[in-house]
Amino acid sequence: MTAVTNTTAATELDPELWIRRYHPAPDAGVRLVTLPHAGGAAPWFRPFSAALTPDVEVLSVQYPGRQDRLREEPVTDVGALADLITDVLTPWTDRPLALFGHSMGATVGFEVAQRLERRGTPPVAFFASGRPAPSLDRKHVVHRLDDAGLLAELRTLSGTDPRVFEDEELLQLMLPVIRGDYRAVETYRCAPGARVGCPVTVLVGDSDPRVSPEDAAAWDRHAADGIDLHVFPGGHFFPVDHQAEITALVRDTLSRHTLRRHTG
């Protein structure tokens, strides 16, 4: 396991710390693990959980350093974070698992998917949303910017409530976490030839300032059986405006792949 050198309680693998089950679905045939964006938290996926239940049970991952985990240091290494999440998910592999990651969460999800495959519990599907392919070179170094530069990046992506920018106390709590997340994803380097064997669905907004449809299409390099690409109107946080379409896509995809797994 990759060492975690900059965390306090992050190495605690208590499921209560890491996993939010907003809508338990004990009869669901598949579980969907959701992984949020840089600076994001588990509740971002709560509307998706409500929409998918009871067919799919959603397990929303809460990274260290935010909300009820505010006293913990953020994990600033994607590999270390993926190691921890994979360990936390072990008790949940009694049913088929799928992964859905948005932005930074897509990169983390890609690494978790590889680890699950190596452990013999491969996910039935992986959804990569709002993120360039892992092998693409990215020149952004947002984590090295001063606070003003970091805030400018958040405004560019248009995913932060404007009222947050007016709350100095809240900003002082959030900025170290957001910077740590950006450091994790910007210093990440994909292993040469890394790919996953499960079906991969890629989602992107057509006017995302940081991810072009061509960047998203390059995920094909990392999927053993190619990808299913979906381009939506909107910017970086397009899932907020297309929840109904995306949850329908997720439900249909998981239905097909879990059925194939049981009959194949």
Side-chain angles (χ1 to χ4, degrees):
M1 176 181 291
T2 306
V4 181
T5 59
N6 65 333
T7 63
T8 51
T11 51
E12 295 289 337
L13 297 179
D14 182 355
E16 296 294 325
L17 286 175
W18 288 88
I19 302 295
R20 304 290 180 269
R21 296 170 73 206
Y22 297 117
H23 305 92
D27 296 324
V30 61
R31 294 183 172 117
L32 179 69
V33 180
T34 59
L35 302 149
H37 52 280
W44 196 75
F45 284 101
R46 187 167 189 157
F48 292 85
S49 174
L52 287 167
T53 192
D55 305 311
V56 178
E57 182 173 58
V58 175
L59 308 179
S60 295
V61 174
Q62 183 80 308
Y63 304 143
R66 57 222 75 204
Q67 297 185 333
D68 56 332
R69 305 191 70 182
L70 189 61
R71 294 184 179 276
E72 300 175 46
E73 295 284 339
V75 181
T76 59
D77 179 89
V78 167
L81 185 58
D83 281 340
L84 290 165
I85 292 170
T86 305
D87 286 343
V88 168
L89 290 177
T90 298
W92 302 97
T93 56
D94 59 314
R95 277 190 251 164
L97 282 183
L99 304 170
F100 188 118
H102 181 67
S103 195
M104 167 185 162
T107 302
V108 175
F110 177 63
E111 289 295 320
V112 172
Q114 293 176 74
R115 285 158 172 75
L116 289 172
E117 288 183 349
R118 289 196 291 267
R119 293 188 181 194
T121 55
V124 294
F126 170 48
F127 299 86
S129 170
R131 189 70 190 162
S135 55
L136 292 184
D137 291 330
R138 290 172 292 278
K139 306 301 181 183
H140 302 295
V141 285
V142 175
H143 74 281
R144 295 182 182 175
L145 299 177
D146 60 15
D147 287 352
L150 187 55
L151 291 173
E153 173 69 10
L154 298 182
R155 290 189 176 96
T156 296
L157 297 180
S158 302
T160 304
D161 187 330
R163 292 172 294 182
V164 171
F165 298 111
E166 301 171 4
D167 189 330
E168 185 62 30
E169 184 177 354
L170 181 58
L171 282 177
Q172 291 308 309
L173 291 173
M174 288 178 55
L175 284 174
V177 175
I178 297 170
R179 189 181 302 281
D181 287 352
Y182 270 97
R183 177 183 172 189
V185 78
E186 290 178 344
T187 58
Y188 168 77
R189 295 296 178 267
C190 176
R195 58 172 53 191
V196 294
C198 66
V200 177
T201 302
V202 180
L203 304 86
V204 66
D206 62 3
S207 57
D208 189 327
R210 293 289 178 259
V211 190
S212 70
E214 292 75 22
D215 292 340
W219 275 93
D220 184 73
R221 307 172 187 175
H222 304 284
D225 296 320
I227 64 170
D228 185 14
L229 176 64
H230 296 264
V231 181
F232 292 85
H236 191 64
F237 288 99
F238 67 91
V240 174
D241 297 322
H242 298 283
Q243 177 191 313
E245 299 101 307
I246 293 172
T247 53
L249 171 64
V250 168
R251 183 182 288 106
D252 178 66
T253 301
L254 294 181
S255 177
R256 286 187 288 110
H257 291 310
T258 53
L259 178 63
R260 182 181 306 168
R261 179 172 179 171
H262 288 301
T263 60

